[in-house]
Amino acid sequence: SPHKFFFFFIGAPGVMHRTTEIYNYYKKLAETSPLITIQQVGLTEEGRAINLVMIGNDDAMKRPDFFKSQLALLADPRKMGSADVNAVINSTKPVFYLNGGLHSTEMGSPEMLMELAYRLITDNTDDIKKIRENIIVIINPVSEPDGRDKQVDWYYRYSKARTNFEDGFRYSPPYWGK
């Protein structure tokens, strides 16, 4: 769980995680469960990793390329006739894409998504089982890793100990990209 990994509950006051810590948590989940993978899909301007996480049932995790090709067929009507649509729909799973921290000052979603991922792979309630069996969840834990790390550094250096939030001091770095 995030609590066992970080020794804090997700959302605990005064606790923010850098991108590498967030990615390391997902890597640990992927080491312990066959229902989740993490894959680097690119690099930021400053050379930080951009990773995507995939969560699904055994079938989804064993055949991701099949589902990707099926969804590609549905996305481009030129690739198949209308008679084939129902067959493709019946043989694939929809993808839910969750995007964390699109803007650097949006601090909560990268944190919350770690808890959600944990629950999606460990919870055995009927609702969660339905999600796992019928949907592929793709999570972008941190959309802007360069800005996220600058924002977390700023928070720990300048904001965490503040008591007067009406003093006119900035809540975030003046600039977080190149």
Side-chain angles (χ1 to χ4, degrees):
S1 71
H3 182 258
K4 286 182 181 177
F5 188 82
F6 293 116
F7 305 107
F8 291 97
F9 289 106
I10 293 298
V15 179
M16 292 289 151
H17 297 97
R18 293 178 57 80
T19 303
T20 53
E21 295 172 301
I22 293 169
Y23 289 162
N24 285 340
Y25 176 69
Y26 285 107
K27 287 176 187 171
K28 183 65 172 178
L29 285 180
E31 290 170 9
T32 59
S33 174
L35 304 178
I36 182 171
T37 62
I38 182 169
Q39 179 181 4
Q40 183 173 326
V41 294
L43 292 172
T44 67
E45 289 179 312
E46 296 180 6
R48 289 177 179 86
I50 300 171
N51 292 332
L52 290 181
V53 173
M54 184 172 112
I55 298 171
N57 68 0
D58 288 332
D59 183 42
M61 302 311 286
K62 289 177 184 169
R63 302 186 310 145
D65 291 336
F66 168 77
F67 291 108
K68 184 177 180 180
S69 66
Q70 293 293 90
L71 292 169
L73 287 173
L74 291 175
D76 187 349
R78 298 170 298 176
K79 293 183 179 180
M80 68 175 167
S82 60
D84 300 329
V85 171
N86 287 333
V88 172
I89 289 171
N90 291 332
S91 68
T92 196
K93 297 174 187 281
V95 172
F96 280 28
Y97 176 76
L98 306 172
N99 199 32
L102 178 60
H103 303 102
S104 301
T105 55
E106 297 167 354
M107 301 295 287
S109 57
E111 302 287 329
M112 177 280 303
L113 287 170
M114 291 186 286
E115 181 72 30
L116 178 62
Y118 171 72
R119 291 178 187 213
L120 285 174
I121 63 173
T122 62
D123 195 320
N124 284 314
T125 60
D126 289 340
D127 289 342
I128 298 296
K129 282 195 234 179
K130 281 183 187 176
I131 291 170
R132 272 197 311 262
E133 291 302 313
N134 298 300
I135 297 170
I136 297 170
V137 178
I138 303 289
I139 298 174
N140 182 347
V142 181
S143 298
E144 218 285 81
D146 295 338
R148 167 73 184 193
D149 288 348
K150 287 178 179 73
Q151 182 69 32
V152 170
D153 291 346
W154 183 276
Y155 171 75
Y156 281 115
R157 185 170 183 184
Y158 298 113
S159 299
K160 183 176 179 178
R162 287 176 67 190
T163 56
N164 179 8
F165 290 94
E166 303 299 324
D167 59 6
F169 192 75
R170 297 185 60 86
Y171 290 95
S172 64
Y175 191 67
W176 46 77
K178 281 190 171 184

